Amino acid sequence: MGDEVKRLALIDAGKFNTLMEMLTENRNRQKLLNNAKRSAEDAGLIESCATVLKSVKNKSSTAGNDVINFLKKTDNYRQSVGLDNEDDNNNNEKPIVTPAPPPATAGPAGANYKPGTVAASTAKIEEHSRTNGVKPSANGVQFNGGMIGVS
């Protein structure tokens, strides 16, 4: 029985090796085909993306510059392919301009907090609570329409 098991193991190993060789060959053919279809801009963008990922992963000192270069290449690629031009041609409207961030809110002590910080968010929540009549109590939180039993 041991000889039969060894023979079957050798057959399976041979099939596995053949399968792995086929997969490797197919992968190499696919890479060749992808490279043949790829333009210079595509190749540069893909290479730049790989460089950014490697730089950020290794915490390289040039990671910031690599990211900036990648973003520039992305913009150039979008323009060369015409992705940005389609939006301009389809819409005769002016582009949407995002408004400037709101000024820093004043906290309870009158101090201005930097927007986006925990202190600024806390101040906004407290201001919203005051304007809408939400008050903490011993049994929970009271508001205009009732009470929630959360301290």
Side-chain angles (χ1 to χ4, degrees):
M1 185 80 166
D3 293 333
E4 186 66 23
V5 172
K6 287 180 184 178
R7 187 180 72 77
L8 290 174
L10 287 174
I11 291 172
D12 286 342
K15 288 181 180 179
F16 178 77
N17 288 339
T18 304
L19 178 65
M20 291 307 293
E21 288 173 3
M22 275 183 19
L23 289 174
T24 304
E25 187 176 329
N26 281 343
R27 187 179 324 122
N28 291 337
R29 287 179 181 166
Q30 188 64 37
K31 284 181 184 178
L32 182 64
L33 184 62
N34 286 341
N35 288 336
K37 291 180 186 177
R38 190 176 303 148
S39 68
E41 291 92 11
D42 294 341
L45 187 62
I46 292 170
E47 182 179 334
S48 180
C49 180
T51 303
V52 167
L53 293 176
K54 184 178 176 184
S55 297
V56 171
K57 180 180 176 184
N58 295 335
K59 298 179 183 177
S60 173
S61 61
T62 62
N65 290 335
D66 291 340
V67 170
I68 291 169
N69 290 338
F70 173 69
L71 293 175
K72 287 180 182 176
K73 285 186 180 183
T74 302
D75 290 340
N76 291 339
Y77 176 75
R78 290 180 63 85
Q79 288 176 355
S80 70
V81 173
L83 294 175
D84 291 337
N85 295 336
E86 289 178 11
D87 295 336
D88 294 339
N89 292 337
N90 291 338
N91 298 330
N92 292 332
E93 302 170 4
K94 294 181 180 178
I96 298 173
V97 177
T98 57
T105 58
N112 287 334
Y113 298 110
K114 184 176 180 181
T117 61
V118 174
S121 299
T122 303
K124 284 183 180 181
I125 292 170
E126 290 173 355
E127 181 182 342
H128 178 76
S129 297
R130 270 187 265 120
T131 57
N132 291 313
V134 178
K135 299 176 185 174
S137 69
N139 297 333
V141 178
Q142 293 180 344
F143 56 96
N144 293 339
M147 187 169 120
I148 300 175
V150 177
S151 59

